[in-house]
Structures are given as C-alpha cells and as structure tokens.
Amino acid sequence: MDERAVTSGEVRVVGAEQPDGLELRTRGLALRGLPELRAAGLPPYLGRGWARILAALAARVAAAGGPPPGDVQLAPDVAFRLTADGDHLVPGPPAGFTGAVDQWRREVVVRLFPSARS
C-alpha cells in the first residue's frame, strides 16, 4: 500500500536508516492539520520500542488537537517533552532532566517495555 494513501483516521510510524542512526517519523497527523513526530539518531536496536513510543505520543497529540502543553506522561515515571523542530515535534527528555539523552532514550524503552531488558 502506498504511504500517501493513509486514511484520515490512521497514523503510521515509518523508519529509515540514516548515516547518524535510525530515523522514525509519523505519517497521518498532518492530514488533520497537526505536526508529525520525528525521532532521529536512534540506535537501530531501539527502533521497535521508539516506534511504539511515537505511536503513543501521536495518539496524545491527536486527542489534544495539537501538542499538549508541558510534559507528556506515558507512564507514572516516564515523561516526554515535545519540542517543535520545523514542521515536526521531537520527543525528548522532560523538563529538568540532566544527563545523557542517549541513555535516557534507552531507559524509557526499558521502563515502558520491561521485556526489552533481556
């Protein structure tokens, strides 16, 4: 099926290898006048977990009719800050986070999907 043939109620997460790592993007939010989400520079082994994260964040953006203010909680101890980058929203660490972003990216996958630990 052609990626451009997304129905109005469907949001997909698509990915591609780039020189700096895996890039994941949503497709379908823009049809509703909303910004798409993008995560770039991911290690490939985090791809499946981050695809699920983008899908959950896309559902929150769609339900709110746009980027929710402040941090977006996906679990009691897992929050994301959505930052505008051009036409996209980029999920990153919550407000007040200090540390390495790459380590945070791994940690949120393990917190949300404990089976990813093994």
Side-chain angles (χ1 to χ4, degrees), residues 19 24 54 64 82 89 92 98 108:
L24 300 174
L54 284 185
L82 298 176
L89 294 175
T98 58
V108 297

mmCIF file of all heavy atoms in Angstrom, residues 19 24 54 64 82 89 92 98 108:
data_model
loop_
_atom_site.group_PDB
_atom_site.id
_atom_site.type_symbol
_atom_site.label_atom_id
_atom_site.label_comp_id
_atom_site.label_asym_id
_atom_site.label_seq_id
_atom_site.Cartn_x
_atom_site.Cartn_y
_atom_site.Cartn_z
ATOM 1 N N PRO A 19 22.776 8.101 8.088
ATOM 2 C CA PRO A 19 24.177 7.989 8.498
ATOM 3 C C PRO A 19 24.383 8.100 10.019
ATOM 4 O O PRO A 19 25.281 7.470 10.566
ATOM 5 C CB PRO A 19 24.861 9.148 7.765
ATOM 6 C CG PRO A 19 23.997 9.386 6.571
ATOM 7 C CD PRO A 19 22.592 9.090 7.026
ATOM 8 N N LEU A 24 12.831 7.742 12.775
ATOM 9 C CA LEU A 24 11.430 7.347 12.765
ATOM 10 C C LEU A 24 10.573 8.591 12.640
ATOM 11 O O LEU A 24 10.884 9.625 13.240
ATOM 12 C CB LEU A 24 11.064 6.608 14.060
ATOM 13 C CG LEU A 24 11.835 5.324 14.347
ATOM 14 C CD1 LEU A 24 11.456 4.795 15.726
ATOM 15 C CD2 LEU A 24 11.568 4.287 13.281
ATOM 16 N N LEU A 54 6.460 6.635 19.667
ATOM 17 C CA LEU A 54 5.927 7.652 18.745
ATOM 18 C C LEU A 54 4.443 7.443 18.498
ATOM 19 O O LEU A 54 3.678 8.410 18.421
ATOM 20 C CB LEU A 54 6.686 7.649 17.420
ATOM 21 C CG LEU A 54 8.068 8.275 17.405
ATOM 22 C CD1 LEU A 54 8.624 8.286 15.979
ATOM 23 C CD2 LEU A 54 8.065 9.670 17.969
ATOM 24 N N ALA A 64 -5.444 15.632 21.845
ATOM 25 C CA ALA A 64 -5.398 17.004 22.358
ATOM 26 C C ALA A 64 -5.651 18.032 21.253
ATOM 27 O O ALA A 64 -5.824 19.220 21.536
ATOM 28 C CB ALA A 64 -4.046 17.272 23.021
ATOM 29 N N LEU A 82 7.751 17.505 24.141
ATOM 30 C CA LEU A 82 7.651 17.603 22.687
ATOM 31 C C LEU A 82 8.097 18.994 22.260
ATOM 32 O O LEU A 82 7.482 19.990 22.632
ATOM 33 C CB LEU A 82 6.215 17.325 22.228
ATOM 34 C CG LEU A 82 5.690 15.928 22.540
ATOM 35 C CD1 LEU A 82 4.230 15.803 22.116
ATOM 36 C CD2 LEU A 82 6.538 14.865 21.875
ATOM 37 N N LEU A 89 7.402 17.571 15.592
ATOM 38 C CA LEU A 89 7.615 17.581 17.031
ATOM 39 C C LEU A 89 8.639 16.492 17.341
ATOM 40 O O LEU A 89 8.546 15.383 16.813
ATOM 41 C CB LEU A 89 6.324 17.277 17.788
ATOM 42 C CG LEU A 89 5.210 18.299 17.669
ATOM 43 C CD1 LEU A 89 3.962 17.778 18.372
ATOM 44 C CD2 LEU A 89 5.647 19.628 18.276
ATOM 45 N N GLY A 92 11.684 14.476 23.550
ATOM 46 C CA GLY A 92 12.939 14.485 24.276
ATOM 47 C C GLY A 92 12.685 14.341 25.755
ATOM 48 O O GLY A 92 11.549 14.146 26.189
ATOM 49 N N THR A 98 18.561 16.059 33.567
ATOM 50 C CA THR A 98 20.004 16.250 33.398
ATOM 51 C C THR A 98 20.600 14.881 33.147
ATOM 52 O O THR A 98 20.236 13.904 33.794
ATOM 53 C CB THR A 98 20.662 16.883 34.645
ATOM 54 O OG1 THR A 98 20.415 16.049 35.766
ATOM 55 C CG2 THR A 98 20.123 18.280 34.899
ATOM 56 N N VAL A 108 13.895 4.899 28.779
ATOM 57 C CA VAL A 108 12.443 4.979 28.612
ATOM 58 C C VAL A 108 11.895 3.734 27.930
ATOM 59 O O VAL A 108 10.792 3.284 28.254
ATOM 60 C CB VAL A 108 11.972 6.274 27.888
ATOM 61 C CG1 VAL A 108 12.316 7.500 28.702
ATOM 62 C CG2 VAL A 108 12.493 6.371 26.482
#
